[in-house]
Amino acid sequence: MSTPKLRTISVVDAVAEQLSEAIFDGTFRPGDVLVESQLANRYQVPRQTIRSAVVVLIHDGILRREPNKSVYVPQFSEDDLRDLFAVRRLLEIETARILASRKVVPKSAESAVRFMEVLCDENDWDEVLKLDFQFHQALIEATGSPRLQRFYRSISAEKRLALSYYRSANSSPKVIAQEHRELLDALRSGDSDTAANASRIHIEESEAFINRAIQAQRERQAVHQNAKAPEEEAEK
């Protein structure tokens, strides 16, 4: 019986992973500026390690830095989101075609869906996003293309970050699990067109979810502004 190999990672990668999780779970919010010295104290590592970890996350699109300015957590504009989903269509629909033609259904993608299916509505949204990330990463890896994997990695973290911003009260893990299950079934069919169409529908549902969440956010902000208006007028 072979001994399982443990994945070893550098201190920089470990800090980058912990910092990215803190961003995904909302510890750091869009617009927050990250101060190097504070992060070094938080993670008990030298500032050089923080600097290197930040470079990794900037490359992944999870953090941004403008010339002569501090590092901050980005807030995606609607143009950013449209572009992100356009790129997802290019990569993921073709991936579905490839896997269906080979009748490949990755075990790790199946496992992610099974875990999703047993989550309850009160489970953390972040847990759903982790499984969604694992699912799509497994599909990309199953193509066997290192270049496609590198390209997808450049947008997958941004996708997870964008989804982490927007949670609706109607976002049921079981419904999301069913959407992923339908995509797996399409891959299993061996029909490339069926799989491509299932992937397209899946991406459209994800984009529609974010658009609904953005609209709900706007409506809440409008209600808040309308409620504040009489108070501000009375203070004049």
Side-chain angles (χ1 to χ4, degrees):
M1 182 176 176
S2 62
T3 303
K5 294 182 178 179
L6 297 176
R7 183 173 71 99
T8 58
I9 61 175
S10 68
V11 175
V12 170
D13 288 339
V15 172
E17 189 172 291
Q18 290 183 49
L19 181 52
S20 65
E21 289 301 325
I23 295 169
F24 291 141
D25 70 19
T27 300
F28 298 111
R29 299 294 299 164
D32 284 354
V33 172
L34 302 188
V35 180
E36 196 175 278
S37 59
Q38 293 176 355
L39 292 177
N41 184 61
R42 176 187 178 91
Y43 295 108
Q44 294 296 291
V45 294
R47 292 177 66 169
Q48 180 57 47
T49 300
I50 294 297
R51 207 167 293 134
S52 298
V54 164
V55 169
V56 172
L57 298 189
I58 289 174
H59 181 267
D60 288 345
I62 302 174
L63 292 175
R64 289 183 187 171
R65 174 190 278 134
E66 296 175 4
N68 303 317
K69 291 188 178 180
S70 301
V71 173
Y72 64 96
V73 182
Q75 170 68 69
F76 294 119
S77 68
E78 291 185 53
D79 285 342
D80 288 330
L81 293 171
R82 275 192 292 270
D83 186 48
L84 178 61
F85 278 96
V87 175
R88 281 192 66 189
R89 287 183 178 88
L90 290 174
L91 298 181
E92 295 182 33
I93 292 174
E94 186 58 29
T95 292
R97 284 187 182 279
I98 292 170
L99 298 186
S101 69
R102 300 174 183 172
K103 293 190 176 180
V104 170
V105 179
K107 290 182 179 178
S108 49
E110 177 70 44
S111 176
V113 173
R114 286 179 180 172
F115 277 113
M116 239 186 253
E117 288 171 336
V118 299
L119 290 176
C120 300
D121 289 352
E122 62 268 19
N123 279 92
D124 288 344
W125 178 235
D126 188 54
E127 188 62 29
V128 177
L129 293 183
K130 284 181 184 178
L131 293 170
D132 173 83
F133 180 85
Q134 291 169 18
F135 175 90
H136 289 286
Q137 194 69 37
L139 298 189
I140 295 294
E141 289 175 358
T143 66
S145 169
R147 290 172 180 79
L148 182 57
Q149 291 175 50
R150 287 199 299 270
F151 196 10
Y152 189 74
R153 176 179 167 78
S154 71
I155 69 159
S156 60
E158 284 188 296
K159 182 195 80 169
R160 184 177 169 189
L161 183 57
L163 287 170
S164 72
Y165 290 164
Y166 303 107
R167 181 178 183 175
S168 164
N170 299 320
S171 54
S172 164
K174 292 190 182 300
V175 171
I176 295 171
Q178 180 59 32
E179 293 171 0
H180 287 76
R181 173 64 65 191
E182 289 170 0
L183 179 50
L184 282 186
D185 290 343
L187 295 178
R188 195 173 281 111
S189 74
D191 186 302
S192 296
D193 289 339
T194 297
N197 189 53
S199 179
R200 182 180 295 104
I201 291 171
H202 179 73
I203 295 168
E204 287 173 353
E205 287 171 341
S206 180
E207 186 170 23
F209 166 83
I210 283 188
N211 288 335
R212 288 194 300 271
I214 290 173
Q215 183 59 35
Q217 190 177 77
R218 283 177 176 165
E219 290 172 359
R220 287 194 299 271
Q221 289 172 345
V223 169
H224 179 68
Q225 288 299 321
N226 290 337
K228 282 179 62 178
E231 296 177 6
E232 293 173 349
E233 187 64 29
E235 291 174 357
K236 293 180 180 180

Coordinates of all heavy atoms in Angstrom, one line a residue, residues 10 37 39 53 60 63 67 78 80 91 93 120 127 147 151 171 173 184 191 209 213-214:
S10 N 5.1 26.7 0.6 CA 6.0 27.6 1.2 C 5.2 28.5 2.2 O 4.0 28.5 2.2 CB 6.6 28.5 0.1 OG 5.7 29.3 -0.5
S37 N 2.4 46.3 7.5 CA 2.8 46.0 8.9 C 1.7 45.4 9.7 O 2.0 44.5 10.6 CB 3.2 47.4 9.6 OG 2.1 48.3 9.6
L39 N -0.6 43.3 8.5 CA -0.7 42.0 8.0 C 0.4 41.1 8.6 O 0.2 39.9 9.0 CB -0.7 41.9 6.5 CG -1.9 42.5 5.8 CD1 -1.7 42.5 4.3 CD2 -3.2 41.8 6.2
A53 N 3.5 37.5 -0.6 CA 2.1 37.0 -0.7 C 1.2 37.9 -1.4 O 0.3 37.5 -2.2 CB 1.6 36.7 0.8
D60 N -3.4 37.0 -9.0 CA -4.6 36.3 -9.1 C -5.9 37.2 -9.2 O -7.0 36.7 -9.4 CB -4.8 35.4 -7.9 CG -3.8 34.2 -7.9 OD1 -3.3 33.9 -8.9 OD2 -3.7 33.5 -6.8
L63 N -6.3 41.0 -5.1 CA -5.9 42.3 -4.7 C -5.5 43.2 -5.8 O -5.2 42.7 -6.9 CB -4.8 42.2 -3.7 CG -5.0 41.6 -2.3 CD1 -3.8 41.4 -1.5 CD2 -6.1 42.3 -1.5
P67 N -0.4 52.6 -9.1 CA 0.9 53.3 -9.0 C 0.9 54.3 -7.8 O 0.0 55.1 -7.7 CB 1.2 54.0 -10.3 CG 0.4 53.2 -11.3 CD -0.8 52.7 -10.5
E78 N -19.7 46.7 -13.0 CA -20.6 45.9 -13.8 C -19.9 45.5 -15.1 O -20.0 44.4 -15.7 CB -21.9 46.6 -14.1 CG -22.8 46.6 -12.9 CD -24.2 47.2 -13.1 OE1 -24.8 46.7 -14.0 OE2 -24.5 48.2 -12.4
D80 N -16.6 45.0 -15.3 CA -15.7 43.9 -14.9 C -16.4 42.6 -14.9 O -15.9 41.6 -15.4 CB -15.2 44.2 -13.5 CG -14.2 45.3 -13.4 OD1 -13.5 45.5 -14.4 OD2 -14.1 46.0 -12.4
L91 N -13.9 29.8 -22.0 CA -13.2 28.7 -21.5 C -14.0 27.5 -21.1 O -13.7 26.3 -21.4 CB -12.4 29.2 -20.2 CG -11.4 30.3 -20.4 CD1 -10.7 30.6 -19.1 CD2 -10.3 29.9 -21.5
I93 N -17.3 26.6 -21.7 CA -18.1 25.9 -22.7 C -17.3 25.0 -23.5 O -17.7 23.8 -23.8 CB -18.9 26.9 -23.5 CG1 -19.9 27.7 -22.7 CG2 -19.6 26.2 -24.7 CD1 -20.7 28.8 -23.4
C120 N -27.1 22.5 4.1 CA -28.4 23.0 4.4 C -28.4 24.5 4.1 O -27.3 25.1 3.9 CB -28.7 22.9 5.9 SG -28.7 21.1 6.4
E127 N -18.7 28.2 2.1 CA -18.5 26.7 1.9 C -19.1 26.3 0.5 O -18.5 25.5 -0.2 CB -19.3 25.9 3.0 CG -19.0 24.4 3.0 CD -17.5 24.1 3.2 OE1 -16.8 24.9 3.9 OE2 -17.0 23.1 2.7
R147 N -1.8 24.9 -20.1 CA -2.1 26.3 -20.5 C -3.5 26.7 -20.2 O -3.7 27.8 -19.7 CB -1.8 26.5 -22.0 CG -0.3 26.4 -22.3 CD 0.0 26.4 -23.8 NE 1.4 26.3 -24.1 CZ 2.1 25.1 -24.0 NH1 1.5 24.0 -23.7 NH2 3.4 25.1 -24.3
F151 N -4.5 29.7 -17.6 CA -5.4 30.7 -18.0 C -6.6 30.8 -17.1 O -7.1 31.9 -16.6 CB -5.8 30.5 -19.4 CG -6.5 31.7 -20.1 CD1 -6.4 32.9 -19.5 CD2 -7.1 31.5 -21.4 CE1 -7.0 34.0 -20.2 CE2 -7.7 32.6 -22.0 CZ -7.6 33.9 -21.4
S171 N -30.5 32.2 -2.2 CA -29.4 31.3 -2.7 C -29.3 30.0 -1.9 O -28.6 29.9 -1.0 CB -28.1 32.1 -2.6 OG -27.9 32.6 -1.3
P173 N -28.2 26.3 -1.2 CA -27.1 25.4 -1.6 C -27.7 24.2 -2.5 O -27.0 23.7 -3.4 CB -26.5 24.9 -0.3 CG -26.8 26.0 0.6 CD -28.1 26.6 0.2
L184 N -22.9 17.9 -14.8 CA -22.3 16.6 -14.8 C -23.0 15.6 -15.6 O -22.4 14.8 -16.3 CB -22.1 16.1 -13.3 CG -21.1 16.7 -12.4 CD1 -21.0 16.0 -11.1 CD2 -19.7 16.6 -13.1
D191 N -22.5 13.7 -25.3 CA -22.9 14.6 -26.4 C -22.3 15.9 -26.2 O -22.6 16.6 -25.3 CB -24.4 14.6 -26.5 CG -24.9 15.4 -27.7 OD1 -24.5 16.6 -27.9 OD2 -25.7 14.8 -28.5
F209 N -27.8 35.5 -11.3 CA -27.8 35.5 -9.8 C -27.1 36.8 -9.4 O -27.6 37.5 -8.5 CB -27.1 34.3 -9.3 CG -26.7 34.4 -7.8 CD1 -27.6 34.1 -6.9 CD2 -25.4 34.8 -7.5 CE1 -27.3 34.2 -5.5 CE2 -25.1 34.8 -6.1 CZ -26.0 34.5 -5.2
A213 N -28.6 40.1 -7.4 CA -28.1 40.6 -6.2 C -27.7 42.0 -6.3 O -27.8 42.8 -5.3 CB -26.9 39.7 -5.8
I214 N -27.1 42.5 -7.4 CA -26.7 43.9 -7.6 C -28.0 44.7 -7.6 O -28.0 45.8 -6.9 CB -26.0 44.0 -8.9 CG1 -24.6 43.4 -8.9 CG2 -25.8 45.5 -9.3 CD1 -23.9 43.4 -10.2

